[in-house]
Amino acid sequence: MSKIADEKVLVLDFGSQYAQLIARRVRQQHVYCEIVRHDLTAERIRELAPMGLILSGGPSSVYQEGAPKCDPGIFDLGLPVLGICYGMQLACEAMGGEVENTPAREYGRAQCRITRPDRLFADLPEQTQVWMSHGDRVSRVSEDFLPLAATDSCPFAAVKHRRVPVYGLQFHPEVTHTPLGTRILGNFLQSICRCSRTWKLGDFARETIEAVRQRVGSGRVICGLSGGVDSSVVAALLAQAIGEQLSCILVDNGLLRKGETESVIGEFTNHFQTDLHVIHAEAKFLDALAGVIDPQEKRRRIGHAFIECFSEEAARIKGARFLAQGTLYPDVIESGGSIDGPAATIKLHHNVGGLPKDLDFELIEPLRDLFKDEVRSLGLQLGLPEDIVWRHPFPGPGLAVRCLGEVTRERLAKLREADALVVEEIKAAGLYRKTAQSFAVLLPVQSVGVMGDARTYEDVVAVRSIDTEDFMTADWSQLPHELLGRIATRMINEVPGVNRVVYDISSKPPATIEWE
């Protein structure tokens, strides 16, 4: 675990879909927060010296065999603890209470009545809307607990321990559907954890720049550029830290968006005036992907090919010892790349999942503790132009994970045109900044159609557009029907080999943003 803040709060993750959202909400309160394994020992937590602990929700029932549990010793550390949903049930059970399956499950909005004044609910009205998502509930608490709030079907919507600073919430304060949830979390952090709430991105930037200078010394750093926000912010941060000791490498892997290579070359020769090396490696990547349809295998092969290209080019750059990458905190968490972080791997990220063990470079990942929206804010602070900072995210493996099925030069060309068309229409409608990510996906299926008097059997393209603040959860964009109609009409008329367009109306969760 990195040390980038004097004060921090830890989220013990029990498999919650909202664990990263909890951490993001805490950071919005200017308190640094990291997600850790649910089974960290009390001794390890003492070593990490947090100001408080948050026990996340989770899909399990605490009374089931094999359900994830925490070290009960954490409740003896004297640290403030806030259990949310499953986390509350776990804390109450560990301290003498009982949990049962409720006959009246609560999923959705509920009215919560505060029945006992407490610091946790300071400046809240007696009744407030909350978001419930549970099939179990605490049916009995020990005499050591006091009930603080209730709903019509949940008598223990919030509780606190009489002697130690252990609190529980059956509802989710981290989601936007609990309008005053941010205030509840703020009360926990300030009044109960006694956090000073002084952590700022500007401090992070200064400390990271100094840390990079100290670590690099007189060495040279290679930074991989993709044209995306993450690598651009890394390059800007390193440029401020080490100046001419930075060499940027753009791997033209044949998996970039339309015009991306030319755009990156222009931005990083004119704006940044960096030592930019361009590797034309389309054939190498396509050979590595030939016949591969499994998305995880695609990521592995792309990661290995990426590092091989870097190794070859680095041999031509005198003094290159370090490799900088735009790995973000969600990449680390979802890849199982943190020692103390959650063990479950949702996906392999090309930065953290595809690196060979005999890597010749020392890895520098200056953004690995930040969420996407924090990276954008940092980019603006570093002086990056807004068109770079607000560019829609693009996956590290590029169009390979939007080209479902086998990746070929012909299918990529079709997808590239379709994707450019979607972005062009979204921008023309004035919705590019209002949507978080919009793109096309080429499906590995064909459908029957009619063009003119001829029967066709051609490809299907899915259009994906999502709205989100943090990319941990996302809703599908409710684009105007007229816009969707223009996209579909142009796609079928202008992209050869496409005769059907569908719109993805899945939210995250349960779906992910990318299809692979």
Side-chain angles (χ1 to χ4, degrees):
M1 178 177 295
S2 58
K3 178 173 171 47
I4 66 170
D6 293 329
E7 296 180 347
K8 59 177 172 284
V9 167
L10 303 180
V11 175
L12 275 63
D13 183 17
F14 293 90
S16 171
Q17 61 183 347
Y18 298 132
Q20 295 183 40
L21 185 56
I22 296 171
R24 186 65 198 96
R25 294 291 182 249
V26 172
R27 292 189 187 189
Q28 288 175 339
Q29 302 281 335
H30 301 293
V31 176
Y32 184 67
C33 183
E34 289 193 6
I35 301 170
V36 298
R37 298 174 60 95
H38 66 271
D39 56 357
L40 279 191
T41 64
E43 182 57 35
R44 176 56 178 156
I45 290 175
R46 182 184 287 110
E47 292 173 358
L48 296 174
M51 299 293 288
L53 304 175
I54 298 177
L55 312 184
S56 82
S60 303
S61 294
V62 297
Y63 48 77
Q64 290 178 335
E65 184 177 352
K69 299 293 178 70
C70 61
D71 181 348
I74 67 173
F75 302 113
D76 299 324
L77 294 174
L79 289 173
V81 177
L82 177 64
I84 297 175
C85 198
Y86 181 89
M88 168 186 169
Q89 297 163 13
L90 189 70
C92 289
E93 183 195 56
M95 304 180 80
E98 293 180 359
V99 177
E100 66 178 10
N101 186 262
T102 175
R105 299 185 177 191
E106 283 189 301
Y107 293 98
R109 293 176 176 85
Q111 290 299 314
C112 181
R113 300 181 305 279
I114 298 173
T115 57
R116 184 186 300 271
D118 189 84
R119 290 178 295 171
L120 188 65
F121 296 123
D123 299 322
L124 264 73
E126 291 184 1
Q127 185 163 300
T128 183
Q129 178 183 295
V130 299
W131 181 261
M132 291 285 194
S133 180
H134 66 98
D136 297 332
R137 70 180 184 188
V138 175
S139 58
R140 183 185 65 82
V141 294
S142 72
E143 294 181 355
D144 291 325
F145 276 93
L146 293 171
L148 299 179
T151 68
D152 288 342
S153 59
C154 183
F156 300 113
V159 297
K160 68 175 278 189
H161 198 279
R162 292 176 185 270
R163 295 187 302 276
V164 294
V166 175
Y167 287 77
L169 299 175
Q170 184 57 71
F171 57 87
H172 290 270
E174 71 275 19
V175 301
T176 55
H177 300 310
T178 301
L180 299 180
T182 299
R183 189 175 301 173
I184 296 171
L185 288 173
N187 289 337
F188 175 72
L189 296 169
Q190 184 168 1
S191 299
I192 300 170
C193 296
R194 301 294 182 185
C195 294
S196 60
R197 297 169 72 172
T198 56
W199 184 72
K200 294 181 177 62
L201 273 178
D203 297 334
F204 168 84
R206 287 189 293 274
E207 292 170 7
T208 302
I209 286 172
E210 183 57 34
V212 168
R213 286 174 180 158
Q214 293 294 326
R215 182 179 175 189
V216 171
S218 60
R220 178 164 289 276
V221 178
I222 295 174
C223 177
L225 288 176
S226 67
V229 178
D230 307 336
S231 63
S232 299
V233 174
V234 169
L237 190 147
L238 291 174
Q240 288 198 19
I242 57 174
E244 295 180 354
Q245 294 169 244
L246 172 66
S247 293
C248 292
I249 294 179
L250 169 64
V251 178
D252 182 5
N253 56 15
L255 305 174
L256 301 179
R257 288 171 286 197
K258 185 177 181 179
E260 194 101 69
T261 300
E262 296 77 11
S263 172
V264 172
I265 291 174
E267 289 168 357
F268 289 92
T269 53
N270 300 329
H271 182 79
F272 289 105
Q273 299 181 339
T274 57
D275 176 30
L276 178 62
H277 301 244
V278 181
I279 305 171
H280 298 285
E282 179 185 34
K284 179 183 183 70
F285 280 80
L286 290 180
D287 287 345
L289 291 168
V292 177
I293 60 174
D294 179 72
Q296 296 289 65
E297 185 61 23
K298 285 181 183 179
R299 291 175 182 272
R300 289 190 185 93
R301 295 195 180 199
I302 291 169
H304 284 295
F306 177 80
I307 293 301
E308 287 177 9
C309 288
F310 261 79
S311 299
E312 293 173 3
E313 188 63 24
R316 304 182 182 96
I317 300 176
K318 185 177 180 181
R321 266 186 59 207
F322 302 91
L323 172 63
Q325 296 185 147
T327 307
L328 304 191
Y329 192 44
D331 302 325
V332 175
I333 293 298
E334 294 183 355
S335 306
S338 174
I339 296 175
D340 290 316
T345 299
I346 297 175
K347 66 182 179 181
L348 285 179
H349 187 267
H350 78 294
N351 282 348
V352 295
L355 297 178
K357 294 181 179 178
D358 59 348
L359 181 66
D360 293 331
F361 304 102
E362 289 185 40
L363 202 57
I364 293 179
E365 297 172 309
L367 308 181
R368 67 178 283 122
D369 295 305
L370 300 184
F371 289 99
K372 174 69 76 173
D373 56 327
E374 293 172 323
V375 171
R376 292 190 191 279
S377 297
L378 180 59
L380 293 174
Q381 291 183 25
L382 293 170
L384 284 170
E386 287 197 3
D387 62 332
I388 294 179
V389 171
W390 291 106
R391 182 176 293 165
H392 281 187
F394 189 56
L399 294 178
V401 292
R402 293 179 180 173
C403 184
L404 276 59
E406 186 175 4
V407 179
T408 65
R409 183 176 282 103
E410 294 72 25
R411 297 191 77 218
L412 285 170
K414 188 178 302 184
L415 173 58
R416 193 172 285 113
E417 291 300 321
D419 183 74
L421 190 153
V422 170
V423 173
E424 180 183 327
E425 284 293 338
I426 294 287
K427 287 182 175 179
L431 296 175
Y432 192 72
R433 285 282 298 273
K434 295 180 180 179
T435 56
Q437 201 167 349
S438 302
F439 55 92
V441 180
L442 183 62
L443 305 186
V445 295
Q446 293 184 313
S447 71
V448 174
V450 176
M451 291 185 178
D453 294 323
R455 177 183 183 275
T456 63
Y457 191 62
E458 296 180 327
D459 289 327
V460 180
V461 168
V463 175
R464 179 74 156 145
S465 183
I466 57 100
D467 300 330
T468 180
E469 293 181 359
D470 47 40
F471 292 87
M472 299 301 99
T473 60
D475 291 324
W476 56 278
S477 305
Q478 298 193 31
L479 300 179
H481 290 179
E482 296 81 3
L483 173 59
L484 292 174
R486 285 197 303 273
I487 291 174
T489 299
R490 286 192 58 194
M491 189 92 64
I492 293 170
N493 289 338
E494 299 177 24
V495 181
V498 174
N499 72 351
R500 192 177 298 270
V501 178
V502 299
Y503 187 52
D504 183 349
I505 58 172
S506 309
S507 296
K508 176 187 179 182
T512 54
I513 294 174
E514 299 290 342
W515 278 48
E516 288 190 342

